[in-house]
Amino acid sequence: MLIEHAGISLNPGTQQVSYLGQPVILTPKEYQLLHELLSPPGRVMTRDHLTQLLYGWNEEAESNTLEVHIHHLRKKFSTDLIRTIRGVGYLVEERR
Amino acid sequence: MTSIRRRTLTLIIGLMLAGLTVLSLFNLHDSNHEIAEVYDAQLAQNARLLQGVMRMPLPGQEHADLYRAFNSALAEAVPKGDGHPYERKLAFQVWNTKGEVLVHTASAPSFSTPPIQPGFSDVEDLNKRHWRAFILEDKQNGLRIWVGERGDVRADLVDRIVRHTLWPNVIGSLVLAAMIWLAIGWGLKPLANMAATLRARHSGSLEPLQLTPLPSELEPMQAALNRMLAQIQEVLGRERRFIADAAHEMRTPLAVLRVHAQNLLEAGTEQERRESLEFLIAGVDRTSRLVNQLLTMARLEPEAKAPANKRIDLGEIVRNSLVQLTPWLLSKHLELAFDVSAPSFNALTDAAAIDIALNNLITNAASFSPEQGVIGVQLTEADGFYHLSVEDQGPGIDEADRARLFERFYSRGNPQGAGLGLTIVHTIATRLGGRITLENRVEGGLRATLSIPAG
């Protein structure tokens, strides 16, 4: 089922993403992150939760890897797509 | 039902009877022994007296006359008015070396074979009567003197002594028992007084007990009862106050709801209808919040249950609560930031209570925050406490208000507030062994800090 939010269209079947009608190329981690934040939007995801989602318990992740992925996602869509709640986590706001 | 009086009396009388019995047995044994000694001495003395008379140096014929005179005198010597019944039971007789009776009393018993062993002896005569006897042998004068006493004399005497001491003892014991019964009753009078006082009280009375005079043994009982009464009174008072306050507090939102419903009914345009409906929904929300807070208070207040303390990471608990609260804060166009001074805050505390407290503090902060305001949450450790602070950019508090802030249903002019939030936080802080402090920030706004013991 197609997920559409704030101009983003994400197809979980084909893992294809477009923004304002234009296809966007995402790395697998970026896609995973975006999918999690959009299902559904409006929920806060803690750093721990997202890090675990991307790397599991075994993989050692650099402390700022998550921030790097978030930074790339913002660059590829819009800077205010993903909101940082300091000390709590990240969210894509429900109403834009 | 056991009675202290009866129990004590039974014990005392039992001990008394046992003691008396032992004493009486000692007495009996002692009397027997002493009587035997005295009587034996008398027997020996009588024998020697007789010996003195019998061996008087007299010419041959006169001895025979003496014996005759003795015999006739003794034969007549039966107890008269001035005698004693025991006299008859004393006897003596004197034999010569050939075994011929020289003199004897009328009461002297006959033996199948005359006893010859000198000294004391117990013998039986031909009539099967028991005698205690003493034989004195005078070889020089060829005399054997026998002095005897019927055994039943001694038995009779001992019997009398025992009877004479037993009856006073029995009667004395009964009198003593009655007196002890009264004495115990007198001693237990304070207890009876207390019972009577309790019985006489009105069943609903919660006044403390004032017994005078109060014996020291009943002091802890009165103190415990009064403590309990005070607790009941406090609980009842709190409940009554709570119900009154809650009912009073419910009246306003219900009246407001009614106004909105009335407006809805009279709405002319679609715009007015919509507005009224939105007010109505907001009013229902406020009332629900009030009811929820009342329920939370009711759960917290009685302190019946011990807090469900568990080892938790306070930072994680706070973060999870904030995750839940963030969408609501964002919808009110408020920012949230959470800062921690350490990676983890290990605490033995009640996570659910912390969540309730934090929710209330954030709700308060949100109510007083300006549009686009930032609500800052901090978790730090200092002086053995974890400090969870919630900061807003609102107007802060007046010093005049401070004292009333923890009062129930007092909300500092906040139309949305039920005035229970800080009361709830205060209750929780107290229960977790911590405290809640409020202070105005230098840069403006209020900082509310919940401190709980660390570790």
Side-chain angles (χ1 to χ4, degrees):
Chain A
M1 210 187 83
L2 211 62
I3 296 172
E4 286 188 309
H5 183 79
I8 301 172
S9 174
L10 184 146
N11 186 339
T14 62
Q15 304 211 345
Q16 281 177 334
V17 183
S18 65
Y19 182 55
L20 303 171
Q22 299 296 310
V24 180
I25 309 299
L26 296 179
T27 67
K29 298 269 194 227
E30 287 166 4
Y31 171 80
Q32 235 180 326
L33 208 50
L34 184 66
H35 187 200
E36 184 68 12
L37 287 168
L38 287 178
S39 48
R43 279 192 312 159
V44 183
M45 300 293 167
T46 61
R47 271 185 53 90
D48 283 354
H49 173 76
L50 294 175
T51 310
Q52 198 205 331
L53 178 83
L54 295 190
Y55 301 102
W57 291 116
N58 303 323
E59 251 179 281
E60 283 289 322
E62 291 284 323
S63 63
N64 65 342
T65 333
L66 185 64
E67 277 78 0
V68 173
H69 290 307
I70 298 279
H71 176 69
H72 286 158
L73 281 176
R74 280 178 179 147
K75 243 167 60 178
K76 287 176 181 175
F77 299 95
S78 77
T79 44
D80 61 353
L81 171 71
I82 298 168
R83 206 164 158 170
T84 306
I85 309 294
R86 198 171 83 218
V88 182
Y90 299 97
L91 92 159
V92 172
E93 279 189 83
E94 203 173 0
R95 281 185 289 179
R96 294 296 310 279
Chain B
M1 212 168 76
T2 55
S3 145
I4 297 181
R5 199 184 205 185
R6 208 167 304 141
R7 269 161 52 109
T8 315
L9 190 73
T10 310
L11 187 68
I12 289 179
I13 288 185
L15 286 173
M16 214 168 71
L17 284 181
L20 267 179
T21 309
V22 170
L23 276 180
S24 299
L25 285 176
F26 265 115
N27 235 337
L28 183 66
H29 179 261
D30 244 34
S31 305
N32 261 331
H33 183 72
E34 287 304 314
I35 288 169
E37 294 269 314
V38 171
Y39 276 40
D40 280 355
Q42 263 176 20
L43 279 182
Q45 203 177 15
N46 283 344
R48 288 189 207 290
L49 202 67
L50 208 55
Q51 182 195 20
V53 175
M54 295 293 285
R55 73 172 174 206
M56 273 197 301
L58 292 172
Q61 189 53 44
E62 282 178 37
H63 254 290
D65 290 341
L66 176 70
Y67 296 162
R68 238 192 329 279
F70 237 125
N71 273 338
S72 62
L74 287 172
E76 279 170 32
V78 288
K80 309 252 169 42
D82 58 348
H84 192 277
Y86 286 173
E87 263 183 72
R88 214 198 293 251
K89 295 178 178 178
L90 273 164
F92 58 85
Q93 47 194 320
V94 181
W95 294 278
N96 61 15
T97 41
K98 295 183 207 107
E100 294 160 349
V101 175
L102 297 179
V103 291
H104 68 90
T105 52
S107 55
S110 317
F111 299 103
S112 45
T113 49
I116 49 166
Q117 187 62 43
F120 291 102
S121 60
D122 290 290
V123 289
E124 231 174 37
D125 66 7
L126 286 173
N127 298 323
K128 299 275 178 210
R129 277 192 297 238
H130 174 250
W131 292 84
R132 174 74 174 167
F134 180 74
I135 294 176
L136 182 68
E137 190 141 40
D138 186 351
K139 285 203 171 122
Q140 212 178 345
N141 299 299
L143 298 171
R144 185 179 295 129
I145 302 163
W146 183 95
V147 184
E149 184 187 59
R150 284 265 294 276
D152 47 356
V153 172
R154 296 182 181 202
D156 186 55
L157 193 64
V158 171
D159 194 46
R160 272 162 200 267
I161 290 175
V162 168
R163 241 182 302 152
H164 284 178
T165 53
L166 190 66
W167 276 113
N169 271 346
V170 169
I171 292 165
S173 299
L174 287 176
V175 172
L176 202 57
M179 278 161 66
I180 289 172
W181 173 257
L182 292 176
I184 294 172
W186 185 80
L188 290 178
K189 205 160 179 67
L191 208 58
N193 282 347
M194 192 183 201
T197 312
L198 285 175
R199 259 201 304 275
R201 280 162 72 92
H202 184 254
S203 60
S205 167
L206 293 173
E207 289 299 307
L209 282 178
Q210 280 297 340
L211 289 183
T212 43
L214 180 66
S216 56
E217 289 88 346
L218 288 183
E219 251 168 45
M221 243 186 276
Q222 172 166 305
L225 274 174
N226 283 345
R227 234 184 350 263
M228 223 163 66
L229 285 170
Q231 268 169 12
I232 292 173
Q233 195 160 26
E234 196 199 317
V235 167
L236 276 182
R238 200 158 59 186
E239 197 164 285
R240 234 174 264 142
R241 205 168 58 238
F242 185 72
I243 290 172
D245 288 356
H248 180 259
E249 211 49 35
M250 290 299 286
R251 263 204 325 231
T252 318
L254 286 176
V256 171
L257 284 183
R258 197 181 185 289
V259 170
H260 292 317
Q262 193 79 35
N263 289 347
L264 184 57
L265 204 59
E266 292 162 2
T269 66
E270 179 63 19
Q271 173 73 20
E272 278 175 23
R273 216 174 64 85
R274 229 194 135 65
E275 243 168 47
S276 295
L277 262 178
E278 270 166 12
F279 277 130
L280 197 59
I281 288 169
V284 170
D285 285 349
R286 183 183 181 277
T287 316
S288 316
R289 209 158 41 241
L290 176 65
V291 170
N292 280 336
Q293 285 190 319
L294 285 175
L295 286 176
T296 307
M297 283 299 284
R299 272 206 307 275
L300 288 174
E301 284 249 333
E303 296 179 25
K305 279 188 294 180
N309 283 351
K310 272 189 185 151
R311 196 144 285 287
I312 52 163
D313 177 8
L314 195 57
E316 201 180 315
I317 297 301
V318 172
R319 191 171 290 112
N320 287 341
S321 298
L322 293 178
V323 164
Q324 302 300 320
L325 285 165
T326 305
W328 175 70
L329 288 176
L330 294 180
S331 76
K332 292 174 77 85
H333 307 291
L334 295 170
E335 297 262 351
L336 176 71
F338 177 41
D339 294 293
V340 291
S341 67
S344 75
F345 292 82
N346 194 8
L348 186 67
T349 190
D350 182 355
I354 298 281
D355 182 55
I356 293 171
L358 184 62
N359 266 277
N360 277 291
L361 292 180
I362 298 265
T363 307
N364 277 353
S367 304
F368 292 97
S369 281
E371 191 87 350
Q372 310 295 334
V374 178
I375 294 175
V377 179
Q378 279 108 40
L379 188 55
T380 54
E381 182 182 0
D383 309 324
F385 279 86
Y386 291 144
H387 303 284
L388 176 61
S389 308
V390 176
E391 297 175 350
D392 62 39
Q393 297 173 324
I397 51 169
D398 285 345
E399 280 308 307
D401 261 359
R402 185 186 281 275
R404 299 195 58 197
L405 283 174
F406 297 109
E407 263 177 42
R408 201 182 263 145
F409 301 118
Y410 179 76
S411 66
R412 5 164 210 165
N414 172 17
Q416 296 292 305
L420 284 172
L422 279 179
T423 316
I424 290 173
V425 178
H426 186 249
T427 309
I428 288 174
T430 309
R431 255 181 52 161
L432 296 181
R435 59 180 185 272
I436 170 83
T437 41
L438 299 174
E439 58 192 326
N440 288 321
R441 298 163 63 210
V442 186
E443 52 275 56
L446 180 72
R447 179 187 294 118
T449 306
L450 172 69
S451 307
I452 63 161

